[in-house]
Amino acid sequence: MRARLSPLRFRPLPLLAGAAALFLAASAASAQRLSAPSASGPLAEATRLYARYRTTLSHDDLAAADAAVGAGLAASPGDYELRKFRLRLLLPHHDFEGLLREAQALKTERPDDAELDGAVGDANFDLGRYPDAFAAYERFVARLPSTASYSRIALAREIAGDLKGALQSMDLAADAARAVDKEAFAWCRSRSARILLKLNRYDEAEGRLVEALRRVPNHAPSLAVAAEIAARKGLWEPATRLAERSIALEPEAGSLAALVDTRRAMGDAAGEARAKKAIAEFDAKLPEDHRLVHRPLALYFSDHGEPARGLAMAERELKGRKDVY
């Protein structure tokens, strides 16, 4: 039976800005999910490194952020803010059970911390426990209407098939960020554009991207969506230029894979070879555990001559991740 998301039980309220910097990444996700604290020492260092990781997608930066949090907790094991910050580091490691366990433990200490409902929802979402995820997201948005909570409601509605409701919620998320966080605003607009693509409303999608790129001209997720729109229209040269701009800013596997296909569609054998080499280099730089489980790469290998590897990656991921994908 399909999990159902109840109608939102709130009216738009004066929006809070504290968590507006959450959803800065392309993926849905796993955009990240707890507000960055203002701090010094290990927490400040971890925050800086994690922010760099979200831009570079370098696992060296992620490992350095892990190390900074570990050092801080070794010195102060009960530090609430460090333990809460560690939640966001568990997502890229696909430790969803660990995320759920730690978020619930923190929730017993601070039951009024609404952001922890977001983390509980995120863990359940990736584990495919949608009723629990949706309930947590609704608690989050009821307590703290913000970019972070509206974004999660949009994600829940999208996965449940309510695309119009998802678009409404993502636009509320963008409105919450508009005055306080241009990066978060741009990310929300890029997500709205992706939802509009599912509705085949291309002109409106392009309008959302114009808004995003006016605020953040070099916004990689928005450029990636613009490249997808151009490719759908058969405009291979613009699609290629936009994808290359996006990749130069953020080397994301989905955009790299799309570039292989647009170069092939153009009949550019040399360009296709370069794009395939870039994918191979991206793959080679991943830590071993990420090379074994990586959704965009699994799809790429399945569609580009290595189906056995793609299948093995998907089967391995399914052991620990039970979401609809």
Side-chain angles (χ1 to χ4, degrees), residues 101-138:
R101 184 171 56 252
E102 293 197 23
Q104 288 174 330
L106 290 169
K107 192 74 177 169
T108 63
E109 297 178 32
R110 305 275 180 93
D112 293 331
D113 189 337
E115 289 181 329
L116 294 174
D117 287 311
V120 168
D122 294 340
N124 281 311
F125 190 95
D126 280 305
L127 291 167
R129 301 166 187 168
Y130 292 117
D132 291 338
F134 295 172
Y137 289 163
E138 287 185 335

Side-chain angles (χ1 to χ4, degrees), residues 15 30 39 49 86 93 96 104 112-113 123 133 179 217 259 270 275 316:
L15 298 174
S30 288
L49 290 164
R86 183 170 60 185
H93 290 303
F96 308 120
Q104 288 174 330
D112 293 331
D113 189 337
L259 189 58
R316 189 175 289 108

Side-chain angles (χ1 to χ4, degrees), residues 36-71:
S38 134
S40 59
L43 185 55
E45 179 67 1
T47 301
R48 181 185 68 80
L49 290 164
Y50 180 75
R52 191 167 72 187
Y53 162 71
R54 294 310 309 160
T55 299
T56 63
L57 302 182
S58 165
H59 290 273
D60 289 340
D61 289 333
L62 180 61
D66 286 331
V69 170

